[in-house]
Amino acid sequence: MQLSEQEIIRREKLNKLTEMGINAFPADEYIITDTTESIKQDFSESKQVKIAGRLMSRRIQGKASFAELQDSKGKIQVYFNRDEICPGEDKELYNEVYKHLLDIGDIIGIEGELFTTQVGEKTVLVKNFTLLTKALRPLPQAKTDENGVVHDGFTDPELRYRQRYVDLTVNPQVKEIFVKRTKLFNAMRTFFNDAGYFEVETPILQSIPGGAAAKPFITHHNALDIPLYLRIANELYLKRLIVGGFDGVYEFSKNFRNEGMDRTHNPEFTAMEIYVAYKDYNWMMDFTEKLLEFCAIQVNGTTKATFGEHEVDFKAPYPRVSMTEAILKFTGFDITGKTEQELYDFAKSIGIEVNETMGKGKLIDEIFGEKCEGNFIQPTFITDYPIEMSPLTKKHRSKEGLTERFELMVCGKEIANAYSELNDPIDQRERFEAQMALSERGDDEAMFIDQDFLRALEYGMPPTSGLGIGMDRLIMFLTNNASIQEVLFFPQMRPEKATPQIELGEDEKVILEILNTQEEPMALAEVKEKSQLSGKKWDKASKTLTKNNIVKVDKIDDVLLMKLV
């Protein structure tokens, strides 16, 4: 492993700490009595406190230093004074350990008392401190100039998603997204539990990937010597539980689909599915809009949420528009009674990319997705889908060729899907067989025939309505994030490119030694002067360091500043 100069220096400091008998990674429990939040909420002068967190900044001025400590609740100013920490003759803890061997990013425990500075800032006067963890890599250090412009912030999306642990540390506002995500899950659970429904767990490894039209991930079970699939949906297992006698079951499930990645799709995602016996899709629409109104209030304190340029209101009730009406309104084409060829020809005529593997369901889905979906900004139920699009849904009780299905659209995206569930085993078998025919034509998202599920239906499933909600997409709308990667702690990423290995010459090392003596950026002219390198050597060495992202040069107020990355 090739280390940067900063990392080498931190390891040297670690060795010095060890030589002094200080364990930089102690195993002992560190008892905390306060947090930055509780201190500010219940502040009283001279109160004794004991906190722990990460050292985020410091300003050393001889025998005194102001610093900033960050814990899980926020930040607070702390004041280190040599004579308070070292009241006796031995000043090593302050002079050597604090000033020279601690770094930004180290995790420390502090015992002290509260006071207010002359400018009115609540502060902890440090009486004693303990090193709890030595950080061997430097944190990104953002700087704000006199105009309020932030430089060197940790803002690159790819780095933030790959190194979420750094993102959460240096961009603490990101944490609020995930706090709200948990609030959403808790609110939904409360709503379901209060309604008397039962949370369950179903298999992730499945012998047949069912419940959705999607391409699965395939693995292999060595002991059984059979292929297995990561689940694409949990629907068919939850319906088996309705057959078994539960009146209402729900699950928050991790699902996996071996498909493309974009701003609204991740191969691993979280869905919630709920199935309630003796209900239909009309009841489920009422239930869904009440559920989302409740969740929006629990997450944001209001039914309204800002998403991009739109203000979305989740207050019930929501408009209900049939798919046929939507396509007719936005394309002028009536899909009622149209053949597969007619649908294919129309889709092609309006510029939609289609191919021979697509059946009627997929063609209609493409037309709706391309020409209609984006027009629905406020929560809207799109209802009564063609039967070819809905292989697990009951035929409509009064509209030939349609099913009792709805999807909920928000800002042009689907966030919920629900049916009056198909419980006729003969009809279900025919639908599965139609899906198999599509598979033989080359549709790799067509459903498998699940013989055990058909057997379960033959024992009798009561009339049931089911609902699925994409939890990642819903929290995107509730937190104003256009990218799914922002609401996943660890989104799937392409393999990280290997860091190029470079050999530094003596001239580069001279520049690094100068920069290592400073915590703040240095004027480039000053670094050049101190290096005593000729113009040609300086140009070559500084170019090597900047090209390989070892140092960075910024221009602030017409002054070029150089710093370690």
Side-chain angles (χ1 to χ4, degrees):
M1 180 175 67
Q2 184 169 340
L3 301 177
S4 69
E5 291 292 315
Q6 281 269 34
E7 291 167 332
I8 291 170
I9 290 170
R10 288 184 178 230
R11 280 164 170 75
E12 290 171 351
K13 291 180 180 182
L14 174 63
N15 292 335
K16 289 178 182 177
L17 288 164
T18 303
E19 290 168 5
M20 295 172 67
I22 297 173
N23 185 352
F25 305 99
D28 318 54
E29 177 188 10
Y30 190 84
I31 297 173
I32 298 167
T33 62
D34 304 270
T35 65
T36 56
E37 183 180 67
S38 67
I39 286 173
K40 293 173 182 176
Q41 290 177 347
D42 188 25
F43 185 88
S44 60
E45 295 286 334
S46 302
K47 178 183 176 182
Q48 302 297 306
V49 297
K50 190 173 181 182
I51 61 175
R54 197 181 289 273
L55 193 63
M56 296 302 291
S57 68
R58 59 178 177 172
R59 304 182 302 279
I60 299 175
Q61 299 169 329
K63 66 176 185 178
S65 171
F66 280 101
E68 191 175 47
L69 194 79
Q70 176 175 294
D71 65 7
S72 64
K73 301 296 184 181
K75 295 179 180 178
I76 196 164
Q77 180 170 271
V78 293
Y79 176 62
F80 290 82
N81 182 285
R82 184 186 66 188
D83 296 330
E84 291 285 348
I85 294 169
C86 309
E89 294 295 320
D90 184 1
K91 307 296 184 183
E92 186 177 57
L93 186 60
Y94 180 85
N95 287 344
E96 182 65 17
V97 177
Y98 175 72
K99 287 180 69 174
H100 299 297
L101 300 182
L102 288 194
D103 288 295
I104 303 301
D106 288 353
I107 298 171
I108 60 175
I110 286 176
E111 297 175 66
E113 63 182 44
L114 305 182
F115 76 101
T116 306
T117 65
Q118 291 181 349
V119 296
E121 185 160 1
K122 295 171 181 176
T123 305
V124 180
L125 171 61
V126 180
K127 295 290 188 178
N128 188 32
F129 72 90
T130 304
L131 177 60
L132 300 176
T133 302
K134 180 69 182 165
L136 299 182
R137 285 180 181 262
L139 288 173
Q141 290 288 292
K143 300 289 188 300
T144 305
D145 64 25
E146 58 187 19
N147 298 317
V149 179
V150 177
H151 300 270
D152 299 329
F154 192 67
T155 56
D156 180 76
E158 182 167 340
L159 279 177
R160 289 181 51 241
Y161 305 152
R162 286 191 192 282
Q163 301 178 31
R164 185 67 83 183
Y165 38 88
V166 178
D167 186 32
L168 292 165
T169 300
V170 301
N171 299 319
Q173 72 278 5
V174 170
K175 188 176 180 182
E176 184 59 24
I177 297 170
F178 298 97
V179 170
K180 287 187 173 183
R181 183 184 174 105
T182 295
K183 284 183 178 179
L184 173 62
F185 280 74
N186 290 343
M188 210 169 271
R189 277 194 173 94
T190 297
F191 193 88
F192 294 152
N193 292 343
D194 288 350
Y197 305 134
F198 192 62
E199 185 171 8
V200 298
E201 293 179 299
T202 61
I204 292 175
L205 285 174
Q206 301 180 353
S207 56
I208 294 177
K215 188 176 180 179
F217 287 92
I218 306 173
T219 186
H220 185 82
H221 192 293
N222 290 336
L224 296 177
D225 193 24
I226 58 171
L228 289 175
Y229 303 85
L230 294 180
R231 75 174 160 210
I232 56 175
N234 54 353
E235 175 170 344
L236 303 188
Y237 283 92
L238 293 175
K239 288 180 181 177
R240 285 170 168 94
L241 297 179
I242 297 295
V243 171
F246 285 95
D247 283 339
V249 291
Y250 71 93
E251 180 180 19
F252 294 98
S253 66
K254 282 288 187 185
N255 296 343
F256 307 84
R257 296 183 183 178
N258 198 356
E259 300 167 350
M261 293 165 51
D262 57 32
R263 292 171 67 83
T264 58
H265 294 88
N266 193 66
E268 175 184 352
F269 63 97
T270 304
M272 184 290 305
E273 294 203 22
I274 182 169
Y275 292 82
V276 185
Y278 308 108
K279 308 298 183 186
D280 67 3
Y281 83 137
N282 293 311
W283 177 90
M284 188 60 83
M285 275 188 266
D286 295 337
F287 183 80
T288 301
E289 59 194 11
K290 290 172 188 172
L291 167 67
L292 294 184
E293 179 180 325
F294 175 79
C295 288
I297 293 170
Q298 294 300 305
V299 171
N300 287 327
T302 173
T303 60
K304 295 181 179 179
T306 299
F307 186 74
E309 61 185 18
H310 304 294
E311 182 180 73
V312 178
D313 194 345
F314 286 95
K315 184 173 179 58
Y318 306 156
R320 303 177 184 191
V321 180
S322 77
M323 174 162 280
T324 302
E325 291 169 341
I327 291 176
L328 182 60
K329 178 179 179 180
F330 293 110
T331 71
F333 184 73
D334 188 351
I335 63 173
T336 305
K338 294 295 188 291
T339 65
E340 183 178 305
Q341 188 61 49
E342 287 172 318
L343 291 167
Y344 180 91
D345 292 341
F346 175 72
K348 202 166 183 180
S349 73
I350 57 174
I352 296 176
E353 195 172 315
V354 292
N355 59 61
E356 288 71 21
T357 70
M358 295 180 176
K360 289 180 67 174
K362 217 158 197 188
L363 291 167
I364 294 169
D365 194 26
E366 289 293 322
I367 294 168
F368 178 79
E370 287 286 331
K371 299 298 181 181
C372 308
E373 202 171 73
N375 296 293
F376 297 101
I377 304 303
Q378 296 302 320
T380 304
F381 292 117
I382 304 299
T383 67
D384 302 343
Y385 280 53
I387 193 168
E388 294 84 2
M389 295 180 67
S390 312
L392 298 170
T393 312
K394 266 190 177 178
K395 292 177 182 176
H396 200 284
R397 65 196 76 178
S398 62
K399 299 176 182 178
E400 185 67 29
L402 302 181
T403 60
E404 296 196 348
R405 173 186 178 187
F406 72 79
E407 288 186 320
L408 178 63
M409 298 291 165
V410 178
C411 289
K413 298 294 182 183
E414 173 241 326
I415 61 170
N417 186 20
Y419 316 147
S420 293
E421 300 295 339
L422 179 56
N423 62 342
D424 177 343
I426 297 172
D427 189 358
Q428 182 64 85
R429 183 178 293 278
E430 291 172 354
R431 306 273 193 99
F432 276 151
E433 288 170 351
Q435 287 286 300
M436 284 302 295
L438 290 174
S439 178
E440 289 165 3
R441 286 171 54 179
D443 187 346
D444 58 7
E445 293 184 352
M447 290 189 186
F448 289 55
I449 295 181
D450 189 332
Q451 298 291 352
D452 180 68
F453 175 66
L454 290 171
R455 178 169 58 192
L457 289 186
E458 288 169 356
Y459 280 99
M461 185 176 82
T464 297
S465 185
L467 166 72
I469 292 178
M471 299 299 290
D472 307 314
R473 196 170 287 180
L474 178 56
I475 198 62
M476 286 167 62
F477 290 121
L478 293 175
T479 59
N480 194 17
N481 280 293
S483 171
I484 193 172
Q485 287 86 359
E486 291 288 352
V487 301
L488 301 175
F489 271 130
F490 305 107
Q492 189 66 46
M493 303 290 290
R494 296 183 185 278
E496 192 170 1
K497 292 179 181 177
T499 304
Q501 303 293 308
I502 62 165
E503 191 71 37
L504 295 181
E506 291 303 316
D507 296 339
E508 288 85 2
K509 290 179 181 178
V510 168
I511 296 172
L512 292 177
E513 285 173 9
I514 296 168
L515 293 173
N516 276 324
T517 64
Q518 304 291 319
E519 288 196 4
E520 300 294 326
M522 287 180 68
L524 184 143
E526 183 183 355
V527 180
K528 183 176 180 180
E529 183 181 348
K530 285 188 174 184
S531 73
Q532 297 184 340
L533 295 172
S534 68
K536 188 174 181 180
K537 286 186 175 183
W538 166 264
D539 290 342
K540 183 180 178 182
S542 59
K543 186 176 181 180
T544 298
L545 293 173
T546 53
K547 182 180 178 182
N548 289 283
N549 203 31
I550 297 172
V551 303
K552 187 173 184 180
V553 177
D554 289 315
K555 187 175 183 180
I556 299 179
D557 296 334
D558 295 325
V559 177
L560 291 174
L561 297 175
M562 180 176 272
K563 62 169 284 187
L564 293 168
V565 173

